[in-house]
Amino acid sequence: MDEKKVIIVGGGITGLATAYYLQKEAKGMQLPIKVKLIEASDRLGGVISTEKRDGFVIERGPDSIIARKKSAMRLIEEVGLKDKIISNTAGKSYIYARGKLHTMPEGSFMGIPTKVTPFALSGLFSPLGKLRAAGDFILPKGEPKADQSLGAFFRHRLGDEVVDNLIDPLLSGIYAGDIDELSLMALFPNFYEIEQKHRSLVIGLNKSMPKPPKTATKPVSKKGMFISLSTGLEELIHQVESRLEEGTVVKGTAVKKIVKTGSTYQVHFETGDVESADCVVITTDHFHAQRMLSEYAFMEQFKDMPSNSVANVALAFPKSAIEKDIEGTGFLVSRNSDFRITACTWTHKKWPGTSPENMALLRCYVGKPDDQEAVELSDDEIVELVLKDLNKTMNITEKPIFHVVTRWRKAMPQYTVGHLEKIAHVKKQLDEELPGVFLAGGSFEGVGIPGCIDQAEAAVDKVIAHLKL
Ligand code: FAD
C-alpha cells in the first residue's frame, strides 16, 4: 500500500488531538499514514497557555474543563495525567448586578430557575422582574423557528431582568459574546426542544434533569463540575506532543494557501516551500482558514463571522492584602453594571494547591462585546481599571506582587444566529469541491476544549474514511 500523507494545520488542542488520534489509529490498524502538523507560532497549545511563577500556576487562557464531557478526560488519562487531575471547589459564586454582589440563586441551570423559592428570594431581580419571569409558566411556546438569538428566546420566556442579570453574565463568561446575537440552535438546542415539548422552560427542565435518589444520605460533595490539572492545562499539550512520532511537528511555519491538484493538495507555506498531501485538516480559527482557501467563494462567509477579544488579568497578592474577603470562588458581572471587568475568579479558592499558602491569585477578564477597546489598553492601565473594579466589592489594601496580562485578540469565535446552517453549507461545499479537506476546532462545531477534542476525533474518522486504505 502506498503511504498517504495528512497535513494538519494549527497546533492548538484540536490539531494536536487530531495528530495524536490519527497516529494511534494508523498504528493500531497498520495503515501507512504519515502525519505532519504545521504550527505558525513557536509553541503548541494555541490559547491553552500556563505560566508558572513564584509557586503560582497561572492560566493565561482556559482554566477549566467541564467534567461530564468525556473526550477531554479520556485524552488526559491516555497521556498519563490522571494523577494530576484536580476538581474545582464547589464554593459560592456571585453575580454583581443592581449595585451589589448576589449569590447565584440555588437551582439555576445556566441561569434558568429549576427551583422557585431561591429565585423568589433573590435580590438579583426586582419584584416586577420576578413576576415577569413567572410568565414562563403561562406563556405559550414560541413559534417553531430554524434559529433565533439566545437573547430573544430567553427574553420571551423569562423577561429582560433574568436575562440581563443572570443568564447573560453566565453565558458571556463562556462565549464572551452578545446574547442578543448568539445562536440558540448552535449553543443550546436542548432549551429550544424543552420549550417545544413542555412549553415552560422551568417545568421542562425540572422534568428532564436527573433527580437525586430520595434516600440519598451522602454528604453533599465539595467537588465542582469542572476539572483542571494541578500543573496547569498546558501540561496536556506537552504530554500529547511528547507522544507524537518524531518529525511530526513543524513549528514557526505558517500555511499560506492550499491548492487542489488532481486528487491531492499542495500546501504552500509562508516560507515559499510547498508540500503535497492526500488530506488536510485545518484546525486554525475561521479567519486563517478562509485565507488559506480564499479562492473558494463558499469560504467567504467566514470573513464576516465575528470573533471577540478579551484580556485575562492575573493579580497575585498576599492574602492579608485582601481585607474584605468574600467566601466563594468568584463573581460575574452583569453588563449593565458600572464595571469594565466581566468576571473575577478567586483562583486560590477555586483551584486549591495552585497558589502558595497565604497567597491569593485573582484572575479577571476585560473586554465586554461593547468594550473591546479595554483589551488594547496598556498593562498598567488594565491593572488599574481591574483594581478599581475589584475595590467596589473587596477591600484590597496593597498593590499586587505581580500581574500577568494576556490579550487574546479575536480569539472568541461567535456562533451567531444561522451558525449551524453556515457550517453545514461549508462542509457540503468542501465535500464537493475539496474532498479530503476538513475543518475542525473552536471556530466551527464547539468552542470548549472537550468540543474541540470531539471534533478532532471526528476528523480522524473522516480522514481514514477518505483515504480508503
Ligand atoms: P487554537 O487554540 O486557537 O489553535 C489554533 C492554532 O492554529 C494556533 O496555535 C495558531 O497559532 C495556529 N495557526 C493559525 N494560523 C495558522 C497558519 N496559517 N498556519 C499554521 N498554524 C496556524 N474552553 C474550555 O473548555 N474551558 C475554559 O475555561 C475556556 N476558557 C477560555 C478562555 C479564553 C481566554 C479563550 C480564548 C478560550 C477559552 N476556552 C475555554 C475555549 C477553548 O480554549 C478553545 O476553544 C480551544 O482551546 C481552541 O482550540 P483550537 O485548537 O481549536 O484553536
Side-chain angles (χ1 to χ4, degrees):
M1 256 192 289
D2 285 348
E3 187 177 72
K4 300 284 183 187
K5 186 160 165 193
V6 178
I7 290 187
I8 298 164
V9 188
I13 187 66
T14 313
L16 265 170
T18 309
Y20 173 78
Y21 283 121
L22 188 53
Q23 284 186 340
K24 186 179 167 197
E25 282 293 290
K27 202 168 168 198
M29 295 163 75
Q30 298 194 325
L31 303 174
I33 298 177
K34 186 175 166 57
V35 179
K36 248 196 170 172
L37 185 153
I38 313 293
E39 165 56 43
S41 73
D42 56 9
R43 60 172 285 279
L44 296 182
V47 301
I48 298 178
S49 169
T50 310
E51 176 158 332
K52 294 185 185 152
R53 185 160 165 180
D54 302 346
F56 291 91
V57 177
I58 304 165
E59 296 292 4
R60 289 173 167 274
D63 76 329
S64 43
I65 296 177
I66 188 139
R68 83 183 140 79
K69 300 204 173 163
K70 296 295 168 225
S71 58
M73 194 72 102
R74 221 170 30 236
L75 183 60
I76 288 171
E77 290 184 4
E78 276 215 26
V79 298
L81 290 172
K82 191 174 178 184
D83 61 341
K84 298 270 176 16
I85 296 174
I86 50 174
S87 290
N88 69 302
T89 311
K92 267 191 204 164
S93 51
Y94 298 82
I95 304 232
Y96 189 93
R98 307 179 79 217
K100 60 188 254 220
L101 287 180
H102 302 268
T103 45
M104 194 81 72
E106 195 200 325
S108 74
F109 181 77
M110 291 317 286
I112 299 153
T114 59
K115 292 182 181 171
V116 172
T117 317
F119 268 72
L121 297 177
S122 174
L124 264 174
F125 322 108
S126 71
L128 258 183
K130 290 173 189 170
L131 199 64
R132 172 60 186 85
D136 176 65
F137 290 115
I138 49 169
L139 282 168
K141 67 181 179 197
E143 289 292 310
K145 281 192 184 128
D147 200 2
Q148 57 191 299
S149 77
L150 287 169
F153 176 77
F154 289 124
R155 286 181 200 286
H156 167 67
R157 295 248 48 101
L158 299 159
D160 289 340
E161 273 194 39
V162 172
V163 170
D164 294 336
N165 295 352
L166 185 56
I167 300 178
D168 177 61
L170 278 166
L171 298 188
S172 297
I174 306 172
Y175 303 108
D178 182 343
I179 196 164
D180 294 308
E181 306 282 334
L182 293 173
S183 156
L184 176 67
M185 297 313 274
L187 300 173
F188 293 104
N190 49 330
F191 289 143
Y192 176 73
E193 280 150 25
I194 285 175
E195 192 212 27
Q196 291 298 308
K197 187 166 171 205
H198 300 278
R199 191 177 50 77
S200 156
L201 274 185
V202 178
I203 294 172
L205 253 185
N206 264 307
K207 284 194 176 153
S208 44
M209 297 233 297
K211 298 266 173 303
K214 277 206 175 98
T215 51
T217 48
K218 271 208 248 159
V220 180
S221 169
K222 277 270 173 205
K223 274 189 183 176
M225 295 152 58
F226 297 98
I227 58 151
S228 190
L229 298 174
S230 55
T231 41
L233 287 178
E234 197 170 330
E235 177 88 37
L236 174 61
I237 301 300
H238 297 317
Q239 290 304 326
V240 177
E241 181 179 7
S242 71
R243 280 162 176 76
L244 298 179
E245 286 161 25
E246 226 182 298
T248 304
V249 176
V250 179
K251 294 180 199 167
T253 303
V255 169
K256 191 175 176 193
K257 65 174 176 174
I258 298 163
V259 178
K260 187 170 189 307
T261 45
S263 60
T264 63
Y265 294 93
Q266 300 293 311
V267 177
H268 294 246
F269 303 117
E270 292 286 359
T271 53
D273 292 344
V274 181
E275 275 194 37
S276 103
D278 298 280
C279 258
V280 184
V281 184
I282 302 175
T283 72
T284 66
D285 59 79
H286 55 287
F287 296 120
H288 286 96
Q290 190 277 326
R291 265 176 249 157
M292 277 171 237
L293 296 173
S294 60
E295 284 165 42
Y296 295 87
F298 67 85
M299 291 293 286
E300 286 280 304
Q301 49 197 312
F302 284 138
K303 275 188 174 170
D304 319 318
M305 177 175 155
S307 224
N308 285 342
S309 304
V310 292
N312 169 314
V313 187
L315 305 171
F317 298 95
K319 277 185 182 159
S320 56
I322 301 171
E323 283 204 340
K324 195 174 132 199
D325 198 6
I326 301 160
E327 190 210 332
T329 53
F331 66 91
L332 298 162
V333 180
S334 74
R335 205 182 317 160
N336 47 24
S337 293
D338 179 25
F339 271 57
R340 290 185 86 178
I341 63 168
T342 55
C344 171
T345 304
W346 298 314
T347 306
H348 55 294
K349 297 185 187 181
K350 181 175 175 187
W351 301 112
T354 59
S355 299
E357 274 291 297
N358 300 321
M359 291 289 170
L361 189 78
L362 310 185
R363 192 170 169 268
C364 300
Y365 275 100
V366 299
K368 294 183 196 184
D370 56 359
D371 185 24
Q372 292 283 283
E373 347 33 286
V375 177
E376 297 307 329
L377 297 173
S378 69
D379 283 13
D380 286 349
E381 287 169 321
I382 290 183
V383 170
E384 195 187 319
L385 81 83
V386 169
L387 284 171
K388 190 171 153 217
D389 278 354
L390 289 178
N391 273 314
K392 291 175 190 165
T393 60
M394 309 163 75
N395 187 8
I396 302 177
T397 54
E398 289 173 36
K399 287 210 173 311
I401 306 169
F402 66 81
H403 61 255
V404 180
V405 176
T406 312
R407 293 173 188 74
W408 294 110
R409 295 188 176 89
K410 302 257 174 241
M412 306 294 278
Q414 300 295 298
Y415 292 8
T416 51
V417 176
H419 182 80
L420 290 183
E421 212 182 318
K422 183 184 299 175
I423 296 298
H425 175 68
V426 170
K427 279 167 80 172
K428 181 167 171 283
Q429 293 304 115
L430 275 176
D431 217 29
E432 284 171 21
E433 296 183 47
L434 299 167
V437 174
F438 304 104
L439 292 177
S443 281
F444 309 108
E445 292 181 274
V447 292
I449 293 169
C452 288
I453 299 171
D454 289 339
Q455 292 178 70
E457 291 184 83
V460 169
D461 292 344
K462 287 182 227 164
V463 165
I464 291 175
H466 176 80
L467 293 176
K468 296 192 182 76
L469 289 165

